[in-house]
């Protein structure tokens, strides 16, 4: 390695990965409750294994939604594309074990406090137009394009379960090339390894910048040579087990709490979105090249106990001043975050695969935390 040069790696997993199947089902349950009642409370956990789906947790909302949960789970599995003997949307056993929200938790949230203690992080950097670290952005994009082609019917060799890993070369803190790529994808039993490799290569080349494709001996496709049995039939899945995939690919800290299956009163989710929103606006305003924001909460307490801003030596404004300005611009209580980002809507199932961050804000308010509408106010304030 040259002076000032290093390698950094991030991974992604597809919508058909066992853990992501669980995330999607849990988030679809959240959306169903919020569509029926915006103030509904949901903490939904899903487990999948061979032809078995178990859904458990706490809810508070219209009881008729509970009657829809089994159908929601089957619809999610069908949309992903599982019609395997060992995991089939029509044949899997579905157990729904949701129950009412704990009164001890409810009393704190009902007073507009946080639903639990915890620390949440948000991050942004200027490596990509999306203000995301490049390795995780490319890893997501490879799998997303492969999934789109599979759903369109143009890549019949591909199965739903897949993973990617991208290692980039950095010089002086900026990505300048790709050292290696790993793609492991479920495939049809009759597919030859060379054919699967050729399919994967198309989508890696589509995503990486021109000239960044790694040499053949650094391009790994299904390194074990075979990946026919996949999804929950090959490995059990659980909600919330891919928190680094969901965020920044390891390029920034993570507070530890998962997002999927949780309504926006849970600061694990809403405050992490708020922290990303604030960090992204700082970088978009040109006030730093990199920005990490930490928020800390206590159960039943509305305002964060602490707000920490770290621009990693790239800031143009003192970090304490930035922290003060951001708290003046956005109410960081759970109620304030929900209102500012309009989070009490059914916008979460779409977040369950390919990352919660670096996505374009959508017309119906999906990915509202990716807006950069604080830029002008921040620039004026400093």
């Amino acid at each position: 390695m040259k002076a000032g040069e290093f390698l950094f790696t991030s991974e992604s997993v597809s919508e058909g990965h066992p853990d992501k199947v669980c995330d999607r089902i849990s988030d679809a349950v959240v959306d169903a409750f919020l569509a029926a009642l915006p103030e509904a409370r949901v903490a939904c956990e899903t487990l999948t294994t061979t032809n078995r789906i178990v859904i458990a947790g706490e809810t508070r909302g219209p009881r008729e939604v509970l009657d829809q949960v089994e159908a929601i789970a089957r619809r999610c599995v069908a949309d992903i594309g599982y019609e395997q003997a060992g995991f089939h949307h029509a044949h899997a056993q579905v157990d729904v074990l949701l129950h009412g929200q704990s009164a001890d938790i409810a009393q704190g949230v009902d007073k507009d406090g946080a639903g639990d203690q915890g620390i949440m992080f948000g991050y942004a950097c200027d490596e990509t137009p999306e203000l995301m670290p490049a390795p995780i952005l490319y890893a997501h994009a490879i799998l997303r394009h492969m999934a789109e082609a599979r759903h369109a019917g143009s890549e019949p060799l591909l199965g739903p379960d897949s993973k990617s890993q991208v290692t980039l070369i950095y010089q002086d803190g900026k990505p300048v090339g790709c050292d290696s790529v790993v793609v492991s994808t479920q495939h049809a039993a009759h597919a030859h390894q060379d054919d699967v490799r050729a399919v994967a290569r198309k989508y890696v080349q589509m995503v990486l910048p021109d000239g960044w494709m790694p040499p053949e001996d650094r391009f790994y496709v299904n390194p074990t040579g075979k990946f026919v049995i996949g999804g929950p039939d090959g490995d059990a899945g659980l909600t919330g087990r891919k928190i680094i995939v969901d965020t920044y690919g390891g390029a920034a800290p993570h507070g530890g709490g998962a997002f999927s299956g949780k309504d926006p009163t849970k600061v694990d989710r809403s405050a992490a979105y708020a922290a990303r929103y604030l960090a992204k606006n700082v970088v978009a305003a040109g006030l730093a090249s990199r920005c990490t924001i930490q928020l800390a909460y206590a159960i039943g307490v509305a305002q964060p106990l602490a707000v920490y801003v770290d621009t990693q030596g790239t800031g143009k404004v003192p970090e304490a001043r930035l922290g003060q300005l951001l708290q003046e611009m956005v109410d960081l209580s759970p109620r304030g975050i929900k209102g500012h980002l309009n989070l009490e809507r059914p916008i979460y199932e779409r977040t369950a695969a390919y990352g919660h961050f670096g996505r374009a804000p959508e017309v119906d308010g999906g990915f509202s935390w990716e807006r950069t509408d604080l830029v002008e106010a921040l620039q004026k304030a400093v």
Side-chain angles (χ1 to χ4, degrees), residues 27-186:
D27 275 336
V29 172
V30 171
D31 281 355
F33 272 96
L34 293 179
L37 180 69
E39 300 81 24
R41 307 281 167 74
V42 186
C44 178
E45 309 290 346
T46 302
L47 176 148
T48 56
T49 186
T50 302
N51 269 335
R52 190 76 176 268
I53 301 169
V54 180
I55 302 166
E58 300 183 332
T59 66
R60 193 170 82 184
R63 289 193 57 82
E64 57 267 24
V65 178
L66 293 174
D67 298 331
Q68 305 168 19
V69 171
E70 179 178 341
I72 289 169
R74 295 191 188 280
R75 189 262 303 164
C76 289
V77 174
D79 286 350
I80 292 168
Y82 276 113
E83 295 184 340
Q84 301 169 184
F87 194 69
H88 195 293
H89 61 87
H91 307 316
Q93 178 179 332
V94 180
D95 298 323
V96 179
L97 306 175
L98 295 166
H99 59 81
Q101 184 182 46
S102 160
D104 293 344
I105 293 175
Q107 67 179 346
V109 181
D110 288 343
K111 294 186 289 188
D112 297 328
D116 200 355
Q117 70 178 46
I119 56 173
M120 297 84 210
F121 286 93
Y123 180 71
C125 62
D126 61 4
E127 291 180 19
T128 61
E130 295 83 358
L131 303 185
M132 284 286 289
I136 187 66
L137 201 70
Y138 296 155
H140 285 323
I142 291 167
L143 297 185
R144 189 172 64 249
H145 287 306
M146 289 172 61
E148 289 168 354
R150 175 176 61 84
H151 285 298
S154 58
E155 299 292 0
L157 293 183
L158 298 180
D161 192 358
S162 58
K163 303 175 76 171
S164 66
Q165 188 168 283
V166 175
T167 300
L168 296 187
I169 305 165
Y170 281 73
Q171 290 180 357
D172 300 321
K174 298 292 184 182
V176 297
C178 182
D179 177 77
S180 66
V181 173
V182 182
V183 178
S184 295
T185 180
Q186 188 182 12

Side-chain angles (χ1 to χ4, degrees), residues 281-288 316-317 321-322 325-326 329 372-382:
N281 275 271
V282 167
V283 175
L287 303 182
K316 299 179 181 178
V317 179
R321 174 65 175 149
L322 272 179
L325 285 173
L326 293 170
M329 292 178 181
T372 52
D373 50 357
L374 296 181
V375 165
E376 185 176 352
L378 279 168
Q379 290 172 336
K380 286 182 178 179
V382 299

